[in-house]
Amino acid sequence: MSDNGRPSYTLARMIAGFLPFADAASVELPLSRLLRLSLFQVSVGMAMVLLSGTLNRVMVVELGTPTWLIATLIAVPMLVAPFRALIGHRSDRHVSALGWRRVPYIWFGTMLQFGGLAIMPFALLLLELQGRFELGLVATAAAFLLTGTGFHVTQTAGLALATDLAPEDKRPRAVALLYVMLLVGMMISAFVIGGLLIDFSPTRLVQVIQGAAVLTMVLNIVALWKQEARAPERTKPDPDAPSFGVLWNAFVKDGRNARLLTAIGIGAAGFAMQDALLEPYGGEILGLSVGATTALTGAWALGALLGFMYSGRALGRGADPLRIAGLGLVAGLNAFLLVVFASPFGSPTMLYAGALLIGLGLGLFSVGTLIEAMALAKSETAGLALGAWGAVQATCAGAGIAVGGALRDLIAWYAIAADPAAATATRATGYTSVYIIEILLLLAGLAAIGPLVGRSKTSTNSTDSAGQPFGLREFPT
């Protein structure tokens, strides 16, 4: 039978037809190997669903923990985020007796993820015990920090490894494909974990989280197997290698780079403030179950996957990546309007549609800014460039999560204090106020990214917009 008749060939054609950025495959990095490498992103997506989705709902509704405290715990892993550029740089320059640069960092990150998830359910259960709340709080913060540190290290080094393996013309699309797999992992994890926790019990929670810990190890070991070749030149330090400070100063000295990072930060914060609020909003205001609210994260991930699919096709037709990012911000504006009006209309359907559209907007925004950031990455500094993108995005997202949770509690407390017999609409005030702030941030993101549109480094290097004022004037409406 010819190659064209083999089932494996037919399956590959189907994957290439439906999976965004499947054309990132090359002779050096075939699609099967790239998809296997992407399994580390699936494990990261699973951890993200647990931290910012399922567990925050369980702690707020089932365990009665204050929302501001949960938002702070979710933001704890973001303490590591500002160091992603440094982590990427260290993996660029890592000296190993085995001749590996990226593998030691990915493995170390995997161990941290596993350790954090292994102790997390017991730390959460301590929060319920009489007289053990403080101990439970410390243990939970440590578990969140370990897990978050692990996936930041794993993701930074893993994306840099993909950049090393892919040929130069395929690197942006290869990294984008890995982010598609992150969203696939989040979507599948959200539905599976939500289904397993429909009949919630502490024992079931322990089983689910520890199962996720074991699965993290399995996925990451399979992802790493025989991916990075050993190189003898990496067994000795290079005395002439520039320091992190020198490379970072050169990177941010370009005013256009600084402006791009500013736009990324504003947009990331605008999309992320709802991360710790969407599921509790569905549970407290609309009365949805644990499984139903976890499905909100699945809807969000599905929307983000659709955003990746659209952006992949648009970029294949030569679209400006920053124009796609701006389109994502516009989608986000409409998404938060749907979420705000879900409460007065009492409509779970509007909430699900809003979650889907939030994911769509974030997917478009992430792809556009990632492709633009990848234009700055070279093989020897891939870790630094990708780390800078990830550091700004994750740091601002973490700050947005923490501020969003605190504002929700503060505004809700003030509203209910003014009327002790507050109706559901009044209790929703804290949530909707945060969503309105997110709308304003996304408008600011449009203002920041507008002057960069049409001047993408992926298409031209002739124009520098560093000296142009913030504004929407040049953003295509």
Side-chain angles (χ1 to χ4, degrees), residues 14 23 79 103 116 141 187 194 200 238 244 266 272 289 293 296 376 382 408 443 447 459:
M14 290 177 61
D23 58 348
L79 294 173
V103 168
M187 184 172 61
F200 176 81
D238 181 4
F244 172 74
I266 295 173
S289 67
T293 55
L296 286 170
L376 312 174
R408 179 267 168 200
L443 286 171
S459 58

Side-chain angles (χ1 to χ4, degrees), residues 207-228:
Q207 292 171 339
V208 168
I209 299 178
Q210 293 201 321
V214 174
L215 187 57
T216 293
M217 290 289 292
V218 173
L219 289 174
N220 288 8
I221 290 173
V222 173
L224 274 181
W225 188 255
K226 293 186 177 181
Q227 291 285 9
E228 185 177 24

Side-chain angles (χ1 to χ4, degrees), residues 400-418:
I401 291 170
V403 171
L407 284 176
R408 179 267 168 200
D409 280 356
L410 180 63
I411 295 170
W413 170 82
Y414 180 80
I416 294 174

